Amino acid sequence: MKAIQIVELSGPDTALALVDIPEPEAAGIVVDVHAAGVSFPEVLQTRGEYQLKPPLPFVPGSEVGGIVRRAPAGAPVQAGDRVAAFCMLGGWAETAVAPEHFVFKLPDELDFAQGAALILNYHTAYFSLVTRGQLAEGETVLVHGAAGGVGTATLQVAKGLGARTIAVVSSDDKEDMARQAGADDVVRSDGPWKDQAKELSGGGVDMVVDPVGGDRFTDSLRALGEGGRLVVVGFTGGSIPEVKVNRLLLNNISVVGAGWGAFVLKKPDLIRAHGAEIDKLIGKGFVRPPIGQRFPLEEAAEALKVIDTRAALGKVVLDVRP
Ligand SMILES: NC(=O)c1ccc[n+]([C@@H]2O[C@H](COP(=O)([O-])OP(=O)(O)OC[C@H]3O[C@@H](n4cnc5c(N)ncnc54)[C@H](OP(=O)(O)O)[C@@H]3O)[C@@H](O)[C@H]2O)c1
């Protein structure tokens, strides 16, 4: 089969090779891949900077949209089903294998590219907002990096759960994307966003979902109202912020970590339960993963560079069987 491998740890420009290799033989559900998702961790993997460090060479790609070729008896999907699947590695290939609990029937409303955009970002969004952030209907959520993959997913899930959303973005294109994804208000990361957020929310937001970190962290704490929660999701801004805990005491606020993969990995029932909740939001029309940029499999390096240069809008996807 045709696949992309990471063959050296030299960054997006030079780390990848298009190869012809045997199909994977691991146990699980075998999926003929039509589209594969591209995410921040794959950029880090090309530099050897991600926590998961398989021996070289390896096929990256954590999630795919495709058609089941083979499934064990009793599996929730069968040959011929359209699915979204989370395979952790191996997705940038014509055929991939995923564990049963990470394969979901793809609702008719979504195409293969949207299937490849569904699991990592939307499960993270649901986990961050609900499991970790304890979102209640009617609360106001401020979302950093709101035009990116996690950001757009968080906006859509939050809207679907009855929250009001404020998006923080850095450009006009990203403002358009955030509005398309359901932001009620959009503020600019290089403007007085903290004061705007306080004003828009009548004194302080209930939750900040933060995949960016860096130097905006302290202002995120200041943007919270009483009982507010800052949910830490990632550090695209580069630096890992530190918390002066007197701020938490003085303002009665919390900082909550949300590491989706580590939390759910050994909890298949929880993964299924979150999948069912996301299906409901797809059915109600709230969840429609926006695909910003798409490339043929052969151009995977270009796809990585979109993310690496802060240019991603919604999800970046590779077309594997166009
Ligand atoms: N905790 C978890 O379980 C979990 C799960 C999935 C992903 N993540 C993490 O979440 C983060 C976001 O992933 P994503 O897929 O949403 O990425 P993405 O689509 O590239 O979006 C990231 C956003 O971060 C903002 N940003 C601010 N400073 C940046 C910089 N120096 N370089 C790049 N982006 C910058 C950008 O928005 P503006 O330009 O508008 O500021 C960008 O849109 C990553 O760190 C990823 O590893 C965590």
Side-chain angles (χ1 to χ4, degrees), residues 241-263:
E242 291 179 6
V243 191
K244 286 218 168 100
V245 294
N246 63 323
R247 286 186 199 285
L248 311 185
L249 178 153
L250 290 171
N251 298 321
N252 287 294
I253 55 176
S254 311
V255 176
V256 183
W260 171 73
F263 192 92

Side-chain angles (χ1 to χ4, degrees), residues 26 48 51 53 57 70 83 91 93 124 128 180 295 300 303 317:
Q51 58 253 39
K53 293 184 172 72
R70 204 166 55 244
V83 292
T124 296
S128 303
Q180 267 179 50
F295 298 86
V317 165

Side-chain angles (χ1 to χ4, degrees), residues 40-41 120 124 145 148-150 169-170 174 211-212 216 233-237 258-260 307 310 312:
F40 228 86
L120 178 64
T124 296
V150 170
V169 299
S170 65
K174 290 185 177 186
V212 176
R216 60 177 87 175
V233 178
F235 309 104
T236 55
W260 171 73
I307 294 177
R310 197 175 172 172

Side-chain angles (χ1 to χ4, degrees), residues 6-7 27 63 67 108 189 229 315:
I6 292 181
V7 295
E63 56 184 338
I67 297 178
D108 292 341
S189 52
R229 293 83 75 201
K315 184 75 176 185

Side-chain angles (χ1 to χ4, degrees), residues 176-207:
D176 289 346
M177 175 53 78
R179 287 198 193 280
Q180 267 179 50
D184 293 307
D185 292 289
V186 182
V187 294
R188 289 302 181 90
S189 52
D190 61 355
W193 60 268
K194 182 250 303 168
D195 297 328
Q196 291 171 306
K198 285 181 93 158
E199 201 178 313
L200 288 164
S201 59
V205 301
D206 300 294
M207 193 184 303

